[in-house]
C-alpha cells in the first residue's frame, strides 16, 4: 500500500510581486498508513497552509504532492473535490450545520456517496454516533450539545464516510482540558480501529502523547524530526 | 448521485434551513405574499378594466358594425350618417341593420336628488340586437313613451333603483334624466365601465324625446346582423367596397379590440397597472434577495465546510435556488387565497368584474416564481465568499 501522503519540494507563497511572501519552502513530508502525525510549530510557520494543500482546499503552486494516490500538482477543482470526499476533515470549530441535528449532520457526509438510501445513511450515522458515545444525543441540534460533544459529532462526521485520511486542525483548542483529552483519545482510538492515518495541526501540549510522530515546522520548513513521546 | 437525489437533497437541506428560523421564514413569506397580492390586484384591475370597457360591445348580437373612423371609444362616439345603415342593406347577406345611439346625460338620483352622468344606449328594442339579461322581458314596456331600463349593476351613487322598483311592483319608477321626467320600467344587466358608471337602455324614439336636438340623420353605431351562413369577413370586404370612407366596417372582435386599444394606448391606465405589477415584483424580489443573502452570509462557515468535505458549488447553488423556489410556493399559496378574498371584497365595492381564474393564478405564480428565481440567482453570488481554504 502506498503512503497516504507524500510531499516533495512543496513551496507556497501568498501575494504577488513585492508583496510576495513565502510560507512554505521545499517541504517534504510523508505520512505512512495508519500513522498519527502531529504538526506543531509557532504560528505563521506554515503548518495550516500545508494542511489546506494536503486537503486539496488550495491549488498547488510548486512541488509534488500525492495524497491518497492523487497527484495534486496541476489538479483541477473537480479532481480536488473528488479527493476531498475521501478525506475526513475536523476543524478547530466544529462547523456543524446549526439547523440540523447530530445524526443529520453526520449523514450529510454520506449524501455525496451514490447508491445509499436515506435509511442506510441514517443507520450508518447512528452507528457512528454510538461509537463516539452520543447515541442518546443524536436528535439534538448542535446548540444543545456541549463543546466536547459537538467535536465528537464532528469526528463522527469525518469518519462516517470511511475516509483514507483524516486532517485535523487544532480540534481540541476550543475545549477544556478534560474534554480535550477525551476527544483526542477518542480520535486516536477510532483511527487505530480503522487504520486511518491522521495528520493533525496542534499547539495543545496535552495531547502530544497521542502521536506516533511529531513534525515541527518553522519559517515554512520542516525541522528535523524528534522521536515521539 | 442520481438526478432525482441531486435535486431532492438540496431542496430538503434548504427546507430544513428555512424551517429552523421561523421569524425569518415568516418575514420572507410575507414579502412574497405582499408581491403576490399586489400583482394579483394590478392584473385583476387591468383585466376588469378591459372586460368592463368592452362588456357593452360584447353583449351586442351582431356580426358586423359600422362606425365613424374618428370614434375613439364607445362612450364618446362620433356620429355617422344614418343613411349608411340603409346602404348596407343593399347586400343580400345583411339581414338586419340596427342603428345604435349612445350619449351620456345626467341622471338625478331618485333617493338623494344628486346628479351624475349616465350612459344611454338606444336602439330598436324589437330588433333583438342586444343580448342584455332581462331586456327581452321588458321589450314591450320599453315601447311606451319615456320608458327606460336601468342597469342593475350601475354604481350605487345612482340610487337603489332595484329596491325602489321592488317596493312598487308593476308601477314604473319616475326619474329625472337630462332634465326630462322618464320612467324606469325594469332592470337589465350590463355593468359599469371606466367610461360609464351606469347604463340606461331605451328605444330609439324615447332617445329622440330625451335629446331632441340630436340630428335625426346621425347615428353613433350601426349593428349589422347577417343572414345565417353568411361569411362575416367576406361581407366586411364587400361593405368596405360599397360604402364611402366616412365609415369603418368592423367585425365584433375588431370592434372590441378597437375599444380595448383606446384604454390600453390612449389612457395611462393600462400602463399604470403594468407598472404597479412590476413594482410589486421588484419589491418582492428585493425582500427575497435580502432574506437569501443574509441566510448565506450568516452561514458562510457552514457552506465553506460543505465545500471542504466535497460538496460542489453547483450543489450549494441548488440549495439557494431551492430556498427561493420554496419561498415562491410558500408565499404564493396564502397570497392567492388573500387575493381571491380581496377580489370578492373589492369587486363588490367597485362593481368591477374581478375574479380569480386558474389561468390568472398560473400567470401570477409564473411571475412570482421568476421573481424568486431572480432573487436566488443574485444571492447565489454570495456563495463565492464561502472559501474552504479559509476553514483551517
Amino acid at each position: 500500500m502506498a503512503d497516504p501522503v507524500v510531499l516533495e519540494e512543496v513551496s507556497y507563497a501568498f501575494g504577488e510581486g513585492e508583496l510576495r511572501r513565502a510560507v512554505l519552502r521545499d517541504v517534504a513530508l510523508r505520512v505512512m498508513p495508519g500513522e498519527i502525525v502531529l504538526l506543531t510549530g509557532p504560528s505563521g510557520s506554515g503548518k495550516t497552509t500545508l494542511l489546506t494543500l494536503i486537503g486539496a482546499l488550495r491549488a498547488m503552486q510548486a512541488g509534488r504532492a500525492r495524497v491518497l494516490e492523487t497527484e495534486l500538482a496541476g489538479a483541477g477543482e473537480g479532481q480536488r473535490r473528488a479527493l476531498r470526499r475521501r478525506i475526513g476533515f475536523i476543524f478547530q470549530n466544529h462547523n456543524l450545520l446549526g439547523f440540523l441535528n447530530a445524526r443529520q449532520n453526520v449523514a450529510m457526509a454520506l449524501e455525496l456517496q451514490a447508491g445509499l438510501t436515506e435509511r442506510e445513511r441514517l443507520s450508518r450515522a447512528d452507528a457512528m454516533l454510538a461509537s463516539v458515545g452520543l447515541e442518546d444525543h443524536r436528535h439534538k441540534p448542535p446548540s444543545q450539545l456541549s463543546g466536547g460533544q459537538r467535536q465528537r459529532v464532528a469526528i463522527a462526521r469525518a469518519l462516517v464516510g470511511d475516509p483514507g485520511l483524516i486532517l485535523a486542525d487544532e480540534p481540541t483548542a476550543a475545549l477544556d482540558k478534560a474534554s480535550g483529552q477525551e476527544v483526542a483519545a477518542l480520535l486516536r482510538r477510532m483511527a487505530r480501529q480503522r487504520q486511518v492515518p491522521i495528520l493533525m495541526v496542534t499547539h495543545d501540549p496535552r495531547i502530544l502523547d497521542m502521536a506516533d510522530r511529531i513534525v515541527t515546522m518553522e519559517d515554512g520548513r520542516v525541522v528535523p524530526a524528534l522521536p515521539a513521546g | 448521485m442520481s438526478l432525482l437525489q441531486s435535486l431532492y437533497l438540496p431542496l430538503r437541506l434548504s427546507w430544513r434551513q428555512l424551517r429552523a428560523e421561523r421569524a425569518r421564514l415568516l418575514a420572507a413569506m410575507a414579502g412574497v405574499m405582499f408581491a403576490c397580492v399586489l400583482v394579483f390586484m394590478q392584473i385583476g384591475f387591468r383585466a376588469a378594466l378591459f372586460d368592463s370597457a368592452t362588456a357593452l360591445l360584447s353583449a351586442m348580437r351582431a356580426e358586423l358594425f359600422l362606425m365613424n373612423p374618428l370614434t375613439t371609444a364607445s362612450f364618446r362616439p362620433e356620429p355617422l350618417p344614418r343613411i349608411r345603415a340603409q346602404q348596407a342593406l343593399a347586400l343580400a347577406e345583411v339581414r338586419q341593420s340596427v342603428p345604435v345611439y349612445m350619449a351620456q346625460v345626467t341622471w338625478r338620483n331618485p333617493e338623494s336628488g344628486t346628479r351624475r352622468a349616465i350612459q344611454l344606449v338606444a336602439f330598436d328594442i324589437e330588433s333583438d340586437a342586444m343580448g342584455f339579461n332581462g331586456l327581452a322581458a321588458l321589450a314591450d314596456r320599453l315601447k311606451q313613451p319615456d320608458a327606460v331600463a336601468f342597469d342593475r349593476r350601475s354604481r350605487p351613487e345612482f340610487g337603489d333603483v332595484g329596491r325602489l322598483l321592488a317596493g312598487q311592483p308593476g308601477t314604473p319608477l319616475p326619474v329625472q334624466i337630462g332634465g326630462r321626467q322618464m320612467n324606469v320600467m325594469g332592470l337589465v344587466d350590463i355593468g359599469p365601465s371606466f367610461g360609464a358608471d351606469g347604463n340606461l337602455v331605451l328605444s330609439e324614439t324615447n332617445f329622440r324625446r330625451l335629446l331632441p336636438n340630436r340630428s335625426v340623420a346621425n347615428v353613433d353605431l350601426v349593428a349589422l346582423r347577417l343572414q345565417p351562413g353568411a361569411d362575416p369577413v367576406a361581407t366586411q370586404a364587400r361593405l368596405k367596397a360599397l360604402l364611402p370612407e366616412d365609415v369603418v366596417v368592423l367585425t365584433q372582435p375588431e370592434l372590441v379590440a378597437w375599444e380595448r386599444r383606446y384604454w390600453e394606448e390612449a389612457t395611462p391606465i393600462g400602463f399604470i397597472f403594468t407598472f404597479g405589477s412590476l413594482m410589486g415584483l421588484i419589491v418582492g424580489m428585493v425582500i427575497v434577495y435580502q432574506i437569501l443573502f443574509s441566510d448565506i452570509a450568516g452561514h458562510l462557515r457552514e457552506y465553506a465546510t460543505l465545500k471542504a468535505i466535497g460538496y460542489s458549488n453547483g450543489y450549494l447553488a441548488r440549495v439557494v435556488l431551492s430556498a427561493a423556489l420554496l419561498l415562491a410556493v410558500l408565499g404564493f399559496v396564502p397570497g392567492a387565497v388573500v387575493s381571491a378574498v380581496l377580489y370578492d371584497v373589492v369587486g363588490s365595492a367597485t362593481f368591477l368584474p374581478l375574479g380569480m381564474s386558474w389561468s390568472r393564478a398560473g400567470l401570477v405564480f409564473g411571475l412570482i416564481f421568476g421573481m424568486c428565481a431572480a432573487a436566488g440567482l443574485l444571492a447565489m453570488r454570495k456563495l463565492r465568499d464561502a472559501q474552504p481554504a479559509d476553514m483551517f
Side-chain angles (χ1 to χ4, degrees):
Chain A
M1 190 159 99
D3 289 343
V5 178
V6 182
L7 304 188
E8 282 163 2
E9 295 168 22
V10 172
S11 296
Y12 197 87
F14 288 111
E16 298 278 320
E18 300 229 329
L19 295 173
R20 188 177 164 87
R21 189 169 54 84
V23 286
L24 293 177
R25 305 164 209 259
D26 288 338
V27 172
L29 180 69
R30 189 178 282 266
V31 177
M32 271 148 338
E35 194 182 23
I36 298 178
V37 177
L38 296 195
L39 205 53
T40 64
S43 63
S45 58
K47 53 194 190 307
T48 297
T49 306
L50 189 63
L51 207 60
T52 57
L53 284 176
I54 295 169
L57 299 171
R58 250 181 233 294
M60 294 271 291
Q61 287 176 346
R64 290 176 304 285
R66 283 186 74 76
V67 176
L68 300 179
E69 323 253 313
T70 301
E71 179 56 56
L72 282 176
E77 171 63 20
Q79 282 169 285
R80 286 192 280 133
R81 192 168 64 234
L83 173 59
R84 293 205 291 270
R85 293 181 184 177
R86 294 160 54 211
I87 296 176
F89 289 93
I90 301 170
F91 306 96
Q92 181 171 351
N93 296 304
H94 55 86
N95 289 340
L96 301 173
L97 299 183
F99 53 88
L100 296 182
N101 63 29
R103 74 198 293 231
Q104 288 167 340
N105 262 297
V106 175
M108 276 302 287
L110 293 173
E111 285 187 10
L112 290 166
Q113 293 189 10
L116 286 181
T117 64
E118 177 73 5
R119 183 192 297 271
E120 286 164 344
R121 283 195 290 264
L122 287 178
S123 71
R124 277 178 68 176
D126 286 345
M128 190 53 70
L129 281 170
S131 65
V132 299
L134 290 176
E135 58 267 67
D136 298 334
H137 300 279
R138 58 190 188 189
H139 293 295
K140 290 184 182 167
S143 58
Q144 289 175 26
L145 298 172
S146 71
Q149 286 170 335
R150 287 177 203 165
Q151 207 54 294
R152 274 146 70 190
V153 177
I155 290 171
R157 177 175 66 181
L159 285 167
V160 74
D162 286 330
L165 171 68
I166 288 181
L167 296 178
D169 183 36
E170 310 263 14
T172 59
L175 304 177
D176 59 41
K177 184 180 177 198
S179 41
Q181 277 172 339
E182 200 184 316
V183 163
L186 173 72
L187 191 54
R188 179 187 161 89
R189 178 162 53 79
M190 305 275 293
R192 281 278 186 263
Q193 274 172 13
R194 291 170 173 71
Q195 288 296 300
V196 190
I198 299 180
L199 181 62
M200 181 192 294
V201 165
T202 186
H203 280 113
D204 191 346
R206 301 170 302 195
I207 61 167
L208 294 180
D209 60 349
M210 75 180 275
D212 296 325
R213 186 153 61 91
I214 296 174
V215 175
T216 309
M217 288 189 69
E218 209 168 321
D219 282 343
R221 294 177 205 279
V222 172
V223 179
L226 303 169
Chain B
M1 246 189 297
S2 72
L3 180 67
L4 201 65
Q5 286 230 318
S6 72
L7 294 176
Y8 167 67
L9 291 176
L11 180 75
R12 188 179 68 174
L13 189 66
S14 66
W15 166 239
R16 285 173 171 172
Q17 183 171 0
L18 285 174
R19 193 184 52 180
E21 291 186 63
R22 295 282 155 83
R24 192 182 272 186
L25 174 61
L26 285 176
M29 275 173 64
V32 176
M33 229 178 103
F34 168 80
C36 191
V37 169
L38 204 58
V39 172
F40 262 119
M41 293 321 285
Q42 300 289 337
I43 288 182
F45 280 134
R46 188 187 150 93
L49 157 68
F50 296 136
D51 286 353
S52 68
T54 56
L56 178 67
L57 302 176
S58 302
M60 294 187 178
R61 289 195 199 125
E63 291 80 10
L64 291 175
F65 294 86
L66 304 183
M67 191 171 74
N68 187 318
L70 295 178
T71 296
T72 51
S74 61
F75 76 99
R76 212 159 46 200
E78 296 280 346
L80 67 148
R82 189 189 166 92
I83 190 72
R84 302 287 171 254
Q86 269 87 43
Q87 284 173 314
L89 290 169
L91 293 186
E93 294 93 328
V94 179
R95 175 163 60 94
Q96 197 182 13
S97 174
V98 184
V100 181
Y101 304 85
M102 287 188 281
Q104 295 209 352
V105 294
T106 55
W107 155 284
R108 197 177 285 283
N109 183 326
E111 291 175 305
S112 66
T114 56
R115 296 198 306 169
R116 197 176 175 98
I118 195 164
Q119 176 81 38
L120 299 179
V121 185
F123 54 95
D124 177 6
I125 301 289
E126 286 208 318
S127 69
D128 195 30
M130 305 280 165
F132 309 140
N133 271 336
L135 183 62
L138 290 171
D140 271 341
R141 302 178 65 199
L142 286 177
K143 286 182 211 158
Q144 295 172 22
D146 296 327
V148 298
F150 180 78
D151 175 8
R152 83 171 84 236
R153 286 161 61 199
S154 301
R155 288 195 56 85
E157 285 80 358
F158 292 103
D160 197 347
V161 175
R163 188 178 53 77
L164 292 173
L165 272 177
Q168 45 181 58
T171 321
L173 175 73
V175 286
Q176 204 185 80
I177 304 168
R180 188 183 174 90
Q181 190 79 11
M182 308 282 279
N183 291 316
V184 177
M185 311 306 279
L187 300 172
V188 294
D189 268 313
I190 302 175
S193 70
F194 282 71
D197 293 337
N199 298 289
L200 288 175
V201 177
L202 64 170
S203 72
E204 205 176 326
T205 321
N206 284 328
F207 181 80
R208 297 215 180 286
R209 283 200 180 95
L210 186 56
L211 297 172
N213 295 332
R214 291 261 314 215
S215 163
V216 290
N218 286 340
V219 302
D220 297 310
L221 185 70
V222 176
L224 299 177
R225 311 187 75 194
L226 304 188
Q227 300 288 359
D231 176 17
V233 178
T235 315
Q236 180 187 29
R238 295 190 60 192
L239 279 169
K240 277 180 181 165
L242 179 73
L243 297 171
E245 299 272 299
D246 60 354
V247 291
V248 284
V249 186
L250 302 172
T251 62
Q252 189 162 27
E254 285 171 352
L255 181 71
V256 168
W258 184 296
E259 183 85 4
R260 209 184 153 92
R261 195 160 53 237
Y262 169 79
W263 292 105
E264 274 184 34
E265 292 172 8
T267 69
I269 299 172
F271 171 76
I272 286 169
F273 291 124
T274 308
F275 186 74
S277 307
L278 199 64
M279 281 294 116
L281 289 174
I282 289 175
V283 170
M285 192 181 82
V286 169
I287 294 173
V288 173
Y289 169 75
Q290 278 292 339
I291 299 278
L292 294 176
F293 182 91
S294 56
D295 251 354
I296 299 173
H299 293 103
L300 267 188
R301 289 194 72 82
E302 285 90 338
Y303 281 118
T305 306
L306 290 179
K307 276 194 194 175
I309 66 176
Y311 281 88
S312 64
N313 284 321
Y315 186 97
L316 298 183
R318 287 197 291 279
V319 173
V320 175
L321 271 186
S322 301
L325 302 182
L326 282 171
L327 289 179
V329 174
L330 291 176
F332 175 80
V333 172
V337 171
V338 168
S339 301
V341 172
L342 275 178
Y343 273 173
D344 265 8
V345 173
V346 177
S348 59
T350 60
F351 299 87
L352 286 170
L354 284 170
M356 186 65 78
S357 68
W358 285 109
S359 62
R360 181 176 300 165
L363 170 70
V364 175
F365 183 70
L367 289 170
I368 295 292
F369 201 80
M371 171 191 96
C372 288
L377 288 172
L378 284 175
M380 234 153 65
R381 295 180 311 165
K382 183 68 182 166
L383 282 177
R384 287 189 212 140
D385 293 350
Q387 284 296 340
D390 300 337
M391 292 307 297
F392 281 137

